[in-house]
Amino acid sequence: MAGEAGEVFSCELCGNFCHGGADNNFKIDIRDEFLSKATVPCNARVYVNGVTGDYMRFEAQGRKYFVDIVKGAHRTRIKGSGWKKFTSNFSLQKGAVVIFDLDRRPRQAHVVVQSDDLDIVEGSSSDGDADEEMIDGDISDVDEDGGSIKIEYTGGLTLNDAHQDILNELVLNFKSKFLGVSFVHCLTTTDTQVGQMKVPERVATSLNIPKGGLAGVRLSSGEAKTRVEYQTSTDGRIAFNKKQSRRFLSKTTLGINDCIFMFFKASKKSYMNVTVVVSKL
């Protein structure tokens, strides 16, 4: 929309400038209210609605984010803790532009900011060292006021599209039962042959369970139920009993290099501190 002097105004419906271009390469013009939840441009809304479900995964400068996609009668919004993390990591402010490329795999987001001398530069993340052990972008319920779902990945692990699809389905099916932070890991010889399975400190802390005790470990199908003792080591990680861990794995088809999703839930048995549910991706 243009004013009398040729000034360009943002769309009254979506708040963007409804940039032209391919539907799968759309732009969001950041304004203050978009830092918590943004609106998809009108010209990209039909396409975005068609290629996304209740949430969308994308990468920006090597880091992964999961955001809620809320499809209303007239607007489609991007919101949730994953979106807030993204806008915070890139220190987004009014005037920046986020360019989404949904045709690439994984989907990409690029941040373009305008400097004081009007040169256009690509924004950078202020999230610190990229080599640190990675926590993926949060997956949050569509209800923004609800609790967020957090998943920690083994450092450097990147899922392919097939594994990601399985993970997405597992999250949708079991998210109401999640306790604390969940965990994605690729099994190693240490896990399978030695039985030295450990849970990262950030995951262990989030569970708020006794530092030592008994866990019920099983597959998400309900099979391979095994009682496994655990202890919290000096580095804050939870270490499972080696012999009992090997016994659990022997009841499954899991092997070296298999990616697994491990989530935790409250146990219904008084003598168990936590239930650990494992799924192959």
Side-chain angles (χ1 to χ4, degrees):
M1 180 185 298
E4 294 181 357
E7 182 181 359
V8 178
F9 297 105
S10 59
C11 173
E12 295 181 359
L13 184 61
C14 70
N16 293 284
F17 291 102
C18 292
H19 296 276
D23 288 337
N24 60 354
N25 190 4
F26 68 93
K27 302 177 183 179
I28 290 181
D29 301 279
I30 296 299
R31 47 201 293 179
D32 291 342
E33 57 266 37
F34 280 9
L35 297 179
S36 60
K37 56 183 177 183
T39 304
V40 173
C42 295
N43 65 326
R45 179 172 169 266
V46 173
Y47 176 78
V48 173
N49 286 357
V51 298
T52 62
D54 293 334
Y55 58 89
M56 177 177 70
R57 172 181 180 265
F58 66 88
E59 290 188 4
Q61 292 198 349
R63 294 187 63 85
K64 303 180 181 68
Y65 299 90
F66 291 85
V67 296
D68 295 329
I69 302 295
V70 182
K71 303 169 184 177
H74 304 290
R75 298 180 182 87
T76 296
R77 298 189 186 277
I78 301 175
K79 58 190 294 188
S81 57
W83 176 252
K84 290 179 181 178
K85 181 179 178 67
F86 169 71
T87 60
S88 174
N89 284 352
F90 283 85
S91 301
L92 294 185
Q93 297 179 358
K94 181 179 179 180
V97 175
V98 180
I99 303 173
F100 283 96
D101 185 351
L102 302 190
D103 197 37
R104 292 186 59 185
R105 289 293 182 270
R107 292 163 174 163
Q108 299 289 318
H110 306 278
V111 176
V112 177
V113 297
Q114 195 170 41
S115 65
D116 292 337
D117 58 2
L118 301 184
D119 288 333
I120 302 299
V121 296
E122 184 170 353
S124 60
S125 170
S126 60
D127 200 42
D129 189 353
D131 293 330
E132 68 181 356
E133 188 176 43
M134 178 179 63
I135 293 185
D136 206 353
D138 298 340
I139 306 176
S140 63
D141 293 332
V142 172
D143 178 5
E144 195 173 31
D145 294 329
S148 63
I149 295 169
K150 297 183 179 180
I151 302 175
E152 178 156 345
Y153 288 62
T154 298
L157 175 61
T158 300
L159 299 180
N160 60 34
D161 287 346
H163 289 161
Q164 188 63 53
D165 288 343
I166 296 172
L167 177 59
N168 293 346
E169 184 174 355
L170 289 168
V171 169
L172 288 176
N173 289 339
F174 295 107
K175 65 180 181 179
S176 63
K177 300 179 180 180
F178 288 174
L179 177 68
V181 178
S182 301
F183 183 43
V184 172
H185 176 61
C186 190
L187 293 174
T188 66
T189 54
T190 302
D191 298 316
T192 58
Q193 296 180 11
V194 180
Q196 191 171 336
M197 296 182 65
K198 292 188 176 182
V199 172
E201 185 271 338
R202 279 179 285 191
V203 178
T205 301
S206 74
L207 301 178
N208 194 28
I209 59 176
K211 292 185 177 297
L214 187 64
V217 184
R218 63 174 178 81
L219 296 176
S220 56
S221 62
E223 300 174 338
K225 294 180 180 179
T226 309
R227 297 180 185 179
V228 180
E229 297 174 349
Y230 72 88
Q231 290 290 335
T232 303
S233 56
T234 55
D235 60 7
R237 292 186 294 174
I238 287 178
F240 293 108
N241 179 280
K242 295 179 182 179
K243 183 177 180 180
Q244 294 165 347
S245 294
R246 290 198 302 270
R247 182 183 304 152
F248 163 72
L249 290 173
S250 70
K251 299 177 182 180
T252 75
T253 59
L254 295 173
I256 299 172
N257 296 325
D258 281 340
C259 290
I260 62 170
F261 174 54
M262 181 183 294
F263 73 84
F264 307 83
K265 67 173 192 173
S267 176
K268 296 180 180 180
K269 301 183 184 298
S270 59
Y271 56 87
M272 286 188 182
N273 300 112
V274 68
T275 296
V276 184
V277 182
V278 178
S279 299
K280 181 178 178 180
L281 298 179

